Amino acid sequence: MVGHAGGSSGAAQQAQAKPDAVRNADIVPMVWLSCGLAALAGLLFGMDIGVISGALPFIVNEFHVSTLMEGWIVSSMMVGAALGALGAGAISQRFGRKKALLYSSLLFFVGALVAVAATSPHILVVARILLGLAVGVASFTAPLYLSEVAPERIRGTTISFYQLMVTIGILAAFMSNLAFSYIESWRWMFGVLMIPAAMLFIGVLMVPNSPRWLASRDRFEEAREVLNKLRSSKTEIDYEMGEIEESINAEQKSRGFQMFKENPNFRRSVMLGICLQLVQQFTGMNAIMYFAPQIFQMSGFEGTAAQLWSTVATGLVNVLATFIAIGFVDRLGRKPILYAGFTVMAASMAVLASILVIGPTTTLLQYTGMASLLIFVAGFAMSAGPLIWTLCAEIQPLNGRDFGLSCSTVANWVGNFAIGQFFPVMIAAIGGAMTFGILSVLNVVFIIFTLLLIPETKGISLEKIEKNLMSGKPLKNIGS
């Protein structure tokens, strides 16, 4: 690497001032193809989240499982996801982002197949763990790949598109659940996961590896060859290679946990990533996704069909509101959208809590409760849903990116597991009104968190963010 640095000094100097040819360069079709196929991992992620809410009642009826086993069937996926995310950093660093996505697609297929063939709840738990492993690897690797392949001016849009695919996956699972509920076939609900898993495997074979990962492995010529496919001009390629090389040459040789131990600035970005993912979980969104039918029942909607149709409406709002993030994340920036989202979520949870205090005794109150739930989902989908993943992929330095993202993704799934396990316990212990009231207060706290700690990263290169972080700038200023 040292020998290469001398030959790239001219390119590195170019990185000091961004030419207009770089700022206004066209986005080539291969970028959109690569980002679209990587985002298929989000579709599987979403389907795996959504499938259990419709399948669980039929699984309980068939196997006559205890409440404890029911909890394990739901939460075992999160255990697998945490383990998958924990190992994803090492897999992604050693084998590359592309191979990590291929491995996750294989795990998705095998996990779905085991679920379809399950003859006992224990085998179903194994299947859910396998699916969780796949989700953990995919939820780590896809945003990372997107952040490293997309030009900075559309980076937020492409990672938000990944989250859009997550929401489409959730909606697809809800609709599949509804369709197969009429024949009471939870096995088919899991079986449909094999279709997008096969599509992901075939699709990822067509996309290039990450140029930043190649460069981090001292494979600079291969990185340049990939950029030739992903960028529209030699000026843009030279500029980006200069930034990448400057970043690599400026960094210490240590990586991962060793870098975490030695570098206090890296520790700051890791801790911020962990906090961001915990914030996303404790908005309460996944509690709504996992237990939507029960929550609609609390709001006065009786009958499985009515509850499942309400769940489909939730999934549809989730998809549509994500377009707000896609449309504005690279125009308005990350922080203004987060402020708006947390405000909407806090207000809607306060309204739902108030209705549950009064009691959904009239049709007007029932539909007001439903509307507040849908508005909450919209607030999340336009803000914390896509933007937390975007920020986590942006704030980590290149040599520590795999480790930092692994830590934050594990935090996401630990928080997810806690929500899955303790949300129904809270509902039973303190009631729905108090539970949703607590979620409202938490979302107010997250507004303050955004103000004090979250940086604005709109239009800033990953290398510039890294330079600011490593120079010791306050976290909220590393994007300036």
Side-chain angles (χ1 to χ4, degrees):
M1 189 186 300
V2 176
H4 190 88
S8 65
S9 59
Q13 287 170 3
Q14 282 184 312
Q16 300 304 314
K18 186 183 298 182
D20 288 340
V22 174
R23 274 195 295 267
N24 303 320
D26 295 331
I27 307 298
V28 302
M30 180 56 78
V31 168
W32 295 118
L33 177 64
S34 299
C35 293
L37 289 172
L40 265 178
L43 182 75
L44 278 160
F45 180 178
M47 290 186 75
D48 205 21
I49 288 174
V51 68
I52 196 62
S53 66
L56 191 60
F58 302 109
I59 292 168
V60 171
N61 286 340
E62 180 170 333
F63 292 123
H64 306 291
V65 300
S66 65
T67 304
L68 180 62
M69 178 55 73
E70 185 178 347
W72 271 110
I73 291 170
V74 173
S75 60
S76 55
M77 189 271 280
M78 281 79 92
V79 174
L83 293 173
L86 198 60
I91 294 169
S92 176
Q93 184 176 332
R94 181 172 180 181
F95 300 107
R97 289 52 163 133
K98 179 175 176 174
K99 285 187 178 177
L101 286 171
L102 287 172
Y103 298 153
S104 71
S105 65
L106 287 173
L107 279 170
F108 270 121
F109 192 91
V110 172
L113 188 60
V114 173
V116 169
T119 55
S120 73
H122 297 91
I123 294 176
L124 193 55
V125 167
V126 171
R128 291 279 289 165
I129 290 173
L130 288 173
L131 287 167
L133 287 169
V135 166
V137 175
S139 63
F140 168 91
T141 310
L144 174 60
Y145 178 82
L146 292 168
S147 74
E148 293 185 343
V149 166
E152 63 204 48
R153 59 193 176 280
I154 62 163
R155 192 173 60 232
T157 299
T158 57
I159 301 177
S160 296
F161 181 67
Y162 163 77
Q163 180 63 23
L164 173 67
M165 294 300 286
V166 175
T167 65
I168 290 173
I170 293 171
L171 176 61
F174 286 167
M175 294 180 70
S176 170
N177 291 346
L178 180 63
F180 290 120
S181 70
Y182 291 105
I183 59 172
E184 299 186 0
S185 177
W186 61 267
R187 295 180 191 275
W188 276 106
M189 295 178 188
F190 281 102
V192 295
L193 291 174
M194 290 188 283
I195 299 170
M199 291 170 58
L200 176 63
F201 183 86
I202 295 167
V204 172
L205 290 173
M206 301 165 59
V207 304
N209 221 320
S210 159
R212 285 173 170 82
W213 176 78
L214 290 168
S216 73
R217 310 296 289 183
D218 292 342
R219 294 159 63 177
F220 291 98
E221 291 307 315
E222 290 177 69
R224 181 175 285 276
E225 288 173 13
V226 169
L227 283 177
N228 279 331
K229 301 175 184 177
L230 296 173
R231 301 295 181 261
S232 61
S233 69
K234 185 176 184 301
T235 302
E236 190 178 9
I237 293 164
D238 287 343
Y239 177 83
E240 193 159 336
M241 279 302 300
E243 282 205 315
I244 292 170
E245 291 167 11
E246 183 181 34
S247 169
I248 290 172
N249 292 330
E251 283 186 357
Q252 58 196 72
K253 299 296 186 289
S254 60
R255 298 174 182 268
F257 183 63
Q258 186 67 27
M259 186 177 174
F260 179 79
K261 289 193 297 182
E262 295 173 358
N263 194 308
N265 287 316
F266 179 45
R267 288 198 292 272
R268 293 190 305 146
S269 65
V270 171
M271 295 310 298
L272 178 58
I274 290 170
C275 290
L276 283 166
Q277 291 290 5
L278 291 176
V279 162
Q280 188 194 64
Q281 288 306 309
F282 285 95
T283 59
M285 177 60 175
N286 278 335
I288 305 301
M289 289 293 104
Y290 294 141
F291 301 101
Q294 295 93 315
I295 294 170
F296 281 114
Q297 184 179 29
M298 290 168 55
S299 300
F301 291 88
E302 298 295 337
T304 302
Q307 290 160 20
L308 286 175
W309 273 111
S310 300
T311 303
V312 170
T314 302
L316 182 61
V317 169
N318 196 18
V319 171
L320 296 176
T322 306
F323 282 102
I324 299 173
I326 291 174
F328 293 102
V329 63
D330 286 318
R331 298 181 189 178
L332 300 179
R334 286 54 162 153
K335 292 184 74 167
I337 298 175
L338 284 174
Y339 288 136
F342 289 133
T343 300
V344 167
M345 286 188 280
S348 57
M349 284 293 96
V351 170
L352 182 58
S354 300
I355 288 172
L356 293 179
V357 168
I358 298 167
T361 53
T362 66
T363 302
L364 177 61
L365 286 174
Q366 288 173 8
Y367 281 98
T368 303
M370 180 179 181
S372 66
L373 202 60
L374 296 179
I375 291 169
F376 171 86
V377 170
F380 178 88
M382 65 175 266
S383 61
L387 298 193
I388 293 300
W389 291 106
T390 301
L391 285 161
C392 285
E394 292 175 329
I395 61 174
Q396 305 298 346
L398 181 57
N399 272 0
R401 193 164 292 151
D402 294 278
F403 178 83
L405 267 175
S406 186
C407 290
S408 61
T409 309
V410 168
N412 176 284
W413 289 107
V414 170
N416 202 324
F417 176 80
I419 288 289
Q421 285 291 95
F422 296 113
F423 182 79
V425 175
M426 285 182 66
I427 292 283
I430 62 176
M434 183 66 73
T435 300
F436 294 120
I438 290 171
L439 291 178
S440 177
V441 172
L442 283 173
N443 279 285
V444 172
V445 172
F446 299 153
I447 295 172
I448 301 168
F449 174 81
T450 303
L451 174 67
L452 296 179
L453 288 173
I454 294 181
E456 179 53 72
T457 55
K458 180 189 75 169
I460 308 297
S461 71
L462 297 177
E463 288 70 33
K464 176 66 172 176
I465 295 168
E466 176 179 339
K467 190 174 181 180
N468 289 339
L469 171 72
M470 292 307 189
S471 70
K473 276 193 173 185
L475 286 171
K476 71 175 182 178
N477 295 332
I478 63 174
S480 59

